[in-house]
Amino acid sequence: MSDERTQRLPTLEKEPRTSTGSGGGDLEQATSAAGYGPGGGSGGGSGEGGRAGRFWSVRRLPAGIVALLVVAAAGLLLYDLVVVRTGGSAMAWRRRFAHELASTPVNDPKVLAAACVVSLLGVWLIALALSPGRRGLLPMRREFAGVRAGLERTAAALVLRDRAMQVSGVQSVRVAVGRRKVRARAQAHFRDLHDVRGDLDSALGDGIRQLGLARQPGLSVHVQRPKKR
């Protein structure tokens, strides 16, 4: 699962306006992009209240499924052992399974396929146990000990999108917030594209800093003219 996986919001659009500046008009095709590096301050992820790490997921569903399977298998084997100890015969499936284990060679395709499936399942469970999860929740700076706060990516994208729409010349904008980078794609129906891009860099950069995140993401801005219809 990639760390750059993002939450996207619908495009927010303004009413179109006539061109009043340079840039070639409403239907001109042009692009402009810029990169933004995180500013100073609390970029290290810690404040007066201590280091702010990622939130760990409880993972109730995988844990519940594994627990149910283990309990079911253990109960079935325990029942079969009790029956054998009390003078009964073992279940047919267990006798057949024991015979297959004794007669099937290790390099048999069925054995190899079963081993691969079990290995992949074990790796998946280990990855779930060692990774925090909760990728949609961004940790915020800890200002007080014992207090932790997080911000949903969708909420952060909404705040930054509203800021971008306040920039003069922006007709519509899409904002995607990731753990390491914020990507904004805007359409400008008037003003020079580089001027709009510069204002978006400033507005979104200030917005990212004011979110109070423990680790400030980078910023990538892409501006272009609306396509011809």
Side-chain angles (χ1 to χ4, degrees):
M1 197 174 293
S2 172
D3 288 343
E4 300 298 329
R5 185 172 57 181
T6 56
Q7 302 290 332
R8 297 186 180 273
L9 292 172
T11 303
L12 190 63
E13 296 188 356
K14 292 179 181 176
E15 292 296 328
R17 297 172 56 178
T18 52
S19 176
T20 59
S22 60
D26 290 346
L27 299 178
E28 179 187 356
Q29 298 292 326
T31 59
S32 179
Y36 165 80
S42 57
S46 60
E48 295 181 359
R51 184 174 180 83
R54 289 177 58 188
F55 290 85
W56 282 76
S57 174
V58 180
R59 305 192 192 278
R60 293 186 177 89
L61 182 59
I65 292 175
V66 173
L68 287 176
L69 291 177
V70 170
V71 169
L76 187 61
L77 289 176
L78 180 61
Y79 172 78
D80 193 49
L81 289 175
V82 170
V83 170
V84 172
R85 291 295 182 179
T86 55
S89 59
M91 293 183 180
W93 69 266
R94 194 159 74 91
R95 294 197 303 269
R96 185 168 58 252
F97 183 67
H99 175 71
E100 289 289 339
L101 288 178
S103 59
T104 304
V106 178
N107 60 351
D108 188 88
K110 294 186 296 183
V111 176
L112 296 178
C116 290
V117 171
V118 173
S119 299
L120 291 176
L121 181 60
V123 171
W124 178 64
L125 292 176
I126 292 174
L128 288 180
L130 298 180
S131 59
R134 303 295 294 274
R135 302 177 64 85
L137 193 61
L138 301 174
M140 302 179 69
R141 289 194 301 268
R142 298 187 65 176
E143 301 295 342
F144 304 97
V147 178
R148 297 188 65 195
L151 181 63
E152 290 283 350
R153 290 189 189 182
T154 52
L158 181 61
V159 171
L160 296 177
R161 188 186 67 179
D162 290 343
R163 274 186 168 268
M165 289 301 296
Q166 296 175 5
V167 174
S168 178
V170 174
Q171 178 183 2
S172 64
V173 63
R174 296 174 68 92
V175 178
V177 177
R179 287 184 53 221
R180 293 186 173 89
K181 181 168 285 190
V182 174
R183 293 180 173 85
R185 301 183 64 88
Q187 290 186 350
H189 50 66
F190 72 98
R191 295 184 67 200
D192 182 75
L193 293 179
H194 295 282
D195 293 340
V196 175
R197 194 275 321 276
D199 290 346
L200 282 173
D201 283 343
S202 178
L204 293 178
D206 291 340
I208 290 174
R209 283 185 285 270
Q210 293 176 10
L211 290 177
L213 299 178
R215 177 178 181 176
Q216 291 184 9
L219 174 63
S220 175
V221 177
H222 183 85
V223 184
Q224 65 182 10
R225 295 292 184 202
K227 296 181 180 179
K228 292 183 179 181
R229 296 182 179 179

